[in-house]
């Protein structure tokens, strides 16, 4: 990454995120399946990680000291695939193969098919545990790499999520960052009407996480929280990122119905037009 | 060739000591447990290598995902707990975090089957072999004695990928010389009239019944089928061809275990009469461990009766 001033960096990340969102729409439209809502909510977090925070190198995907990113909410795969493609880990054209027979881009991320994926996830409550294992490995080796896990808020209803978080806190894994995409919605509706997870920040604090609450669409806050996590040495950090499901596409924003429903042709065209206008508005 | 039935030894002790030796050989090896390290014997490793031992408490599913995360960084990880927790409580974590990820995690589960005894049906898992053998890429081993347990503990370390080793709580008579190999059945007794295919605690019973049958002129082959997956198909089909009848003994549900494997394999390749002795489609209950085997249909008398029934079916006796 070239050196840039914070303002330039943030403009660059915003521009990249808009491109990623467009790819999310193209991929889920082409596949006529997938999870656009949660992919759009997590896009800015993924962008900040893949394009700024993570020490990763497309030319050395097995670099032992690379930072590890685990997408515990594996259904947000379109956002991660698009980010990795734009970052040079896979050809951008390959995104068109999402969810197709024979593709490396499985519905939920799969490390055995796409080697730049650190952990295959999909069934919830497991990626965070694998991330704890990775952070323990780094500690045992004295390796410098850091591990980042992105969780969904519906996933916070799963008991094993808290088992794994408990372990991260117990082992005081300061090299572990748990990032919650708190978009408030799950498949059947709002988390708080289905099985409330609030007060979520207090829960993370009770599990011994240095807990930061941010607007998950504000890059200066995202970068600030990630930097704060790096400075936190006494234990793991939790970043609770308040986000909007379907962010960037007017008719998807705040709509749980787009958790697992792809856009139809007219919707895809409108979404791409809106996202493109966003690009023009901020050159 | 006739195997000698030796004195009973602890499979769990054999595992604990083998794991300790592996830890000495491989400085990256990590062991995990879920609050049962005294029972599973991983405590032996834990006392010697406290930095590489993680007793995570009562979180078996997450023990599996943490184990996978460690293993994906190039480590061999042994994870132990009781079989009901490893295969039952943690099933989908074994499936996705370990098997789907092809993580090099060796699950050594103790307290499989009815021989758990007094703890009762909640803890006596008789479905684990079926669950684990159904997972793509999973190696499944059911040792019959301490020497095989020791050999299997080492053998799964040599083989990259996930493994499930099912141990029995009770001490079991020594019936093998420990020359276990993954993918090979051990012919513990040669014979031509009938073959008994057995795993785990019932291998010794198979040898006892074979000895009794020998006294009345019936020649019984006994195969220790410890390597359930991959399994020794040539040895199985050879037994079908050469002896014409197969009796399968397992301390496991007959619906999904080794009996089902033997019946489906022979029916597709070389159909011969097969009889399955194991746990019927019911849960266990509290009781003296060996009395439970009799109570749930694995008595020596039942085994003998099934053997005679097979011999009758083959026209070898009236």
């Amino acid at each position: 990454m070239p050196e840039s001033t914070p303002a330039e960096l943030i403009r660059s990340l915003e521009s990249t995120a808009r491109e990623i969102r467009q790819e999310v729409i193209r991929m889920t439209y082409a596949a006529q399946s997938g999870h656009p809502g949660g992919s759009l909510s997590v896009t800015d977090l993924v962008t900040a990680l893949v394009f700024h925070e993570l020490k990763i190198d497309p030319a050395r995907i097995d670099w032992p000291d690379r930072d590890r990113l685990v997408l515990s909410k594996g259904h947000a795969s379109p956002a991660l695939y698009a980010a990795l493609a734009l970052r040079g880990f896979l050809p951008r054209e390959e995104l068109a193969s999402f969810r197709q027979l024979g593709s490396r881009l499985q519905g939920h991320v799969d490390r055995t098919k796409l080697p730049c994926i650190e952990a295959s996830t999909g069934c919830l409550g497991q990626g965070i545990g694998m991330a704890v294992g990775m952070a323990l490995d780094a500690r045992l080796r004295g390796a410098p790499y850091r591990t980042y896990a992105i969780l969904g808020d519906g996933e916070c209803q799963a008991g094993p999520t808290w088992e794994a978080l408990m372990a991260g806190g117990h082992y005081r894994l300061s090299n572990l960052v748990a990032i919650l995409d708190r978009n408030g919605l799950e498949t059947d509706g709002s988390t708080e009407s289905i099985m409330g997870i609030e007060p979520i920040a207090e829960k993370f604090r009770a599990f011994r996480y240095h807990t930061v609450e941010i607007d998950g669409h504000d890059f200066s806050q995202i970068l600030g929280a990630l930097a704060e996590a790096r400075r936190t040495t006494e234990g793991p950090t939790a970043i609770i990122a308040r986000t909007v499901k379907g962010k960037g596409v007017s008719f998807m924003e705040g709509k749980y119905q787009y958790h697992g429903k792809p856009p139809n042709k007219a919707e895809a065209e409108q979404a791409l037009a809106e996202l493109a206008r966003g690009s023009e508005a901020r050159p | 060739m006739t195997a000698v039935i030796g004195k009973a030894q602890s499979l769990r002790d054999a595992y604990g000591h083998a794991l300790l030796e592996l830890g000495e050989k491989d400085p990256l090896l990590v062991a995990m447990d879920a609050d049962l390290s005294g029972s599973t014997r991983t405590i032996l490793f834990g006392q010697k290598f406290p930095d590489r031992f993680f007793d995570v408490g009562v979180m078996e599913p997450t023990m599996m995902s943490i184990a996978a995360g460690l293993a994906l960084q190039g480590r061999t990880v042994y994870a132990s707990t009781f079989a009901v927790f490893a295969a039952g409580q943690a099933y989908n974590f074994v499936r996705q975090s370990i098997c789907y990820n092809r993580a090099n995690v060796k699950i050594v589960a103790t307290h499989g089957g009815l021989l758990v005894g007094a703890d009762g049906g909640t803890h006596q898992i008789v479905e684990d072999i079926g669950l684990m053998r159904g997972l793509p890429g999973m190696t499944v081993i059911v040792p019959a004695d301490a020497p095989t347990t020791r050999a299997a503990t080492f053998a799964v370390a040599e083989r990259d990928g996930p493994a499930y080793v099912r141990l029995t709580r009770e001490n079991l008579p020594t019936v093998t010389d420990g020359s276990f190999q993954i993918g090979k059945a051990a012919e513990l007794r040669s014979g031509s009239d009938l073959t008994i295919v057995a795993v785990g605690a019932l291998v010794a019973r198979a040898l006892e019944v074979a000895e009794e049958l020998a006294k009345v002129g019936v020649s019984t082959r006994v195969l220790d089928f410890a390597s359930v997956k991959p399994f020794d198909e040539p040895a199985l089909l050879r037994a079908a061809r050469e002896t014409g009848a197969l009796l399968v003994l397992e301390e496991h549900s007959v619906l999904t275990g080794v009996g089902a494997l033997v019946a489906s394999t022979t029916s597709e390749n070389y159909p011969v009469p097969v009889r399955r002795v194991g746990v019927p489609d019911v849960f266990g209950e509290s009781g003296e461990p060996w009395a439970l085997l009799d109570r749930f249909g694995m008595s020596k008398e039942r085994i003998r009766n099934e053997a005679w029934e097979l011999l009758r079916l083959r026209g070898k006796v009236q």
Side-chain angles (χ1 to χ4, degrees):
Chain A
M1 298 283 104
E3 287 294 318
S4 52
T5 68
E8 282 172 353
L9 170 64
I10 284 169
R11 270 198 298 278
S12 162
L13 292 172
E14 285 171 345
S15 164
T16 302
R18 272 190 297 277
E19 276 194 76
I20 291 169
R21 286 195 165 91
Q22 291 174 58
E23 293 294 1
V24 167
I25 297 298
R26 289 191 193 101
M27 291 165 80
T28 52
Y29 170 64
Q32 275 305 292
S33 70
H35 298 79
S39 298
L40 295 170
S41 67
V42 84
T43 293
D44 296 322
L45 300 166
V46 167
T47 304
L49 287 163
V50 171
F51 284 85
H52 181 72
E53 180 68 14
L54 298 180
K55 292 186 181 66
I56 50 175
D57 182 354
R60 290 185 296 164
I61 57 169
D62 55 358
W63 176 27
D65 289 343
R66 73 191 182 280
D67 287 336
R68 271 55 163 185
L69 173 60
V70 177
L71 188 66
S72 201
K73 48 171 289 183
H75 55 279
S77 55
L80 183 56
Y81 293 146
L84 291 170
L86 266 59
R87 184 76 169 77
F89 283 89
L90 59 144
R92 197 161 171 174
E93 315 82 70
E94 193 175 345
L95 296 177
S97 73
F98 176 57
R99 285 179 173 247
Q100 301 305 308
L101 189 61
S103 174
R104 299 196 296 172
L105 310 188
Q106 293 292 294
H108 298 79
V109 293
D110 185 336
R111 65 173 286 278
T112 65
K113 295 199 162 53
L114 188 63
C116 60
I117 296 297
E118 296 289 350
S120 308
T121 56
C123 302
L124 299 171
Q126 303 199 26
I128 179 63
M130 298 176 78
V132 168
M134 294 175 192
L136 281 173
D137 172 77
R139 172 185 286 180
L140 287 173
R141 288 178 199 263
Y145 76 81
R146 294 170 61 71
T147 302
Y148 298 80
I150 298 178
L151 295 101
D153 48 7
E155 189 172 15
C156 289
Q157 293 159 342
T161 296
W162 297 101
E163 294 178 2
L165 289 169
M166 185 183 289
H170 176 82
Y171 296 125
R172 302 198 182 284
L173 295 171
S174 56
N175 56 359
L176 174 70
V177 185
I179 303 170
L180 177 63
D181 178 19
R182 181 67 173 120
N183 62 35
L185 299 175
E186 55 188 310
T187 310
D188 279 353
S190 83
T191 58
E192 296 318 282
S193 67
I194 290 165
M195 186 53 65
I197 65 169
E198 294 291 345
I200 190 70
E202 289 175 33
K203 287 187 175 71
F204 275 96
R205 288 193 184 102
F207 279 63
R208 308 190 208 180
Y209 284 68
H210 175 66
T211 302
V212 190
E213 294 182 78
I214 61 165
D215 175 345
H217 300 304
D218 180 330
F219 277 104
S220 69
Q221 290 189 37
I222 298 171
L223 299 185
L226 291 169
E228 190 172 326
R230 247 180 287 124
R231 291 193 302 270
T232 301
T233 53
E234 62 273 23
T237 297
I239 298 174
I240 297 174
R242 308 271 170 196
T243 58
V244 175
K245 198 144 187 163
K247 175 72 176 177
V249 176
S250 61
F251 59 89
M252 287 188 180
E253 286 193 358
K255 296 283 197 318
Y256 73 87
Q257 290 87 348
Y258 286 96
H259 171 86
K261 189 180 86 167
N264 61 30
K265 188 162 192 291
E267 289 170 331
E269 283 171 358
Q270 184 188 337
L272 289 171
E274 287 182 16
L275 290 163
R277 275 201 299 280
S279 310
E280 291 160 17
R282 293 187 188 176
Chain B
M1 192 228 5
T2 304
V4 177
I5 300 179
K7 76 174 171 60
Q9 289 184 294
S10 164
L11 278 61
R12 293 180 283 152
D13 285 344
Y15 164 54
H17 288 289
L19 179 62
L20 188 61
E21 287 178 42
L22 282 169
E24 283 160 357
K25 275 191 271 189
D26 177 358
L28 286 180
L29 187 141
V30 166
M32 301 186 70
D33 206 296
D35 198 36
L36 292 167
S37 64
S39 291
T40 66
R41 307 295 195 262
T42 59
I43 196 164
L44 296 170
F45 181 99
Q47 286 167 341
K48 183 79 182 285
F49 306 108
D51 295 346
R52 289 192 273 142
F53 178 63
F54 298 99
D55 186 340
V56 296
V58 187
M59 50 171 75
E60 296 85 4
T62 292
M63 174 170 72
M64 300 305 177
S65 54
I66 294 176
L70 281 157
L72 291 182
Q73 311 315 310
R75 294 176 185 276
T76 302
V77 181
Y78 279 70
S80 285
T81 180
F82 293 175
V84 69
F85 306 130
Q89 187 90 347
Y91 175 75
N92 198 33
F93 288 67
V94 174
R95 178 179 179 274
Q96 178 176 287
S97 289
I98 295 175
C99 291
Y100 194 81
N101 273 280
R102 294 184 202 149
N104 196 27
V105 177
K106 319 302 178 185
I107 299 166
V108 180
T110 67
H111 295 60
L114 295 175
L115 288 177
V116 166
D119 275 351
T122 53
H123 285 56
Q124 295 161 353
I125 190 166
V126 294
E127 313 94 73
D128 56 326
I129 295 173
L131 286 167
M132 294 295 106
R133 131 177 130 79
L135 287 169
M138 183 66 107
T139 296
V140 179
I141 312 294
V142 185
D145 63 5
T148 293
T149 299
R150 177 179 170 78
T153 303
F154 292 131
V156 293
E158 295 297 314
R159 183 183 172 91
D160 190 46
Y164 180 80
V165 181
R166 184 214 217 199
L167 303 184
T168 303
R169 177 179 183 274
E170 288 295 292
N171 294 351
L172 297 181
T174 296
V175 292
T176 75
D177 58 4
S179 59
F180 167 80
Q181 284 181 282
I182 292 174
K184 295 285 178 198
E187 188 175 304
L188 298 184
R189 183 183 180 109
S190 50
S192 53
D193 293 327
L194 166 74
T195 297
I196 303 181
V197 176
V199 292
L202 292 181
V203 174
R205 257 180 205 202
L207 290 168
E208 287 168 10
V209 170
E211 184 64 29
E212 290 173 15
L213 290 170
K215 287 178 183 148
V216 292
V218 175
S219 166
T220 307
R221 183 178 304 185
V222 175
L223 293 181
D224 174 4
F225 226 59
S227 187
V228 172
K229 185 181 175 181
F231 71 95
D232 194 340
E233 186 171 309
L236 184 64
L237 296 180
R238 204 162 48 241
R241 275 196 308 274
E242 293 173 1
T243 69
L246 300 170
L247 175 56
V248 188
L249 313 185
E250 60 186 324
E251 189 203 352
H252 186 277
S253 167
V254 294
L255 269 66
T256 62
V258 178
L261 164 68
V262 167
S264 56
T265 303
T266 52
S267 70
E268 282 186 352
N269 294 283
Y270 195 88
V272 294
V274 173
R275 289 275 166 156
R276 295 168 299 155
V277 167
V279 183
D281 191 16
V282 294
F283 290 113
E285 64 181 70
S286 290
E288 193 278 322
W290 297 97
L292 283 167
L293 291 196
D294 295 346
R295 164 79 177 74
F296 282 87
M298 288 155 281
S299 65
K300 280 208 285 180
E301 185 189 4
R302 164 85 194 286
I303 296 166
R304 268 195 306 271
N305 289 344
E306 294 291 348
W308 284 114
E309 181 61 25
L310 280 167
L311 292 166
R312 270 192 291 274
L313 277 168
R314 298 299 298 172
K316 293 183 180 181
V317 294
Q318 291 298 309

